[in-house]
Amino acid sequence: DSSLKENIVDANSQWNDIKNIKIRNYNFKASTGYGTHKQIGVVAQELETVCPKLVDTGEDNIKTVASSILYMKAVKALQEAMAKIETLETKVAALEAAG
């Protein structure tokens, strides 16, 4: 809610961060107690090399990912991609009209 926030400005580009994140398929080891079905996501140690602030190490030395921030970075990068596509579409339409 905007009533709870201040210093609201546009976020910086997230293009390179998102471009450099490795999205992986994996399954959890049975010994973890998590479901062992195939999943898609990130590996904390790999993400940490690109976006170290999104990874936290718990007292048990297990790394966790701040996925809500990762999602927002992805939304920002998607908006950037949409703007680039729209610019290219406009240029293509102009070229086609002139040709």
Side-chain angles (χ1 to χ4, degrees):
D1 188 292
S2 62
S3 67
L4 304 175
K5 299 172 183 172
E6 61 183 6
N7 303 318
I8 300 170
V9 297
D10 288 342
N12 293 329
S13 173
Q14 302 298 309
W15 188 270
N16 287 328
D17 281 357
I18 294 299
K19 189 169 131 180
N20 291 318
I21 293 171
K22 293 181 181 181
I23 304 299
R24 303 292 203 169
N25 285 118
Y26 62 90
N27 61 277
F28 285 107
K29 298 174 182 177
S31 61
T32 66
Y34 296 116
T36 57
H37 59 283
K38 184 176 176 181
Q39 298 188 45
I40 186 170
V42 296
V43 175
Q45 288 82 351
E46 293 175 349
L47 178 64
E48 195 170 33
T49 66
V50 178
C51 302
K53 292 181 180 177
L54 298 188
V55 178
D56 188 38
T57 304
E59 291 180 19
D60 55 2
N61 276 341
I62 300 294
K63 295 183 182 284
T64 57
V65 173
S67 55
S68 61
I69 298 171
L70 180 58
Y71 297 149
M72 289 298 103
K73 290 173 82 62
V75 168
K76 176 64 177 172
L78 175 59
Q79 290 175 332
E80 293 176 59
M82 291 168 69
K84 288 182 181 196
I85 291 166
E86 289 168 351
T87 298
L88 290 172
E89 287 174 337
T90 301
K91 289 180 179 182
V92 167
L95 288 171
E96 288 174 343

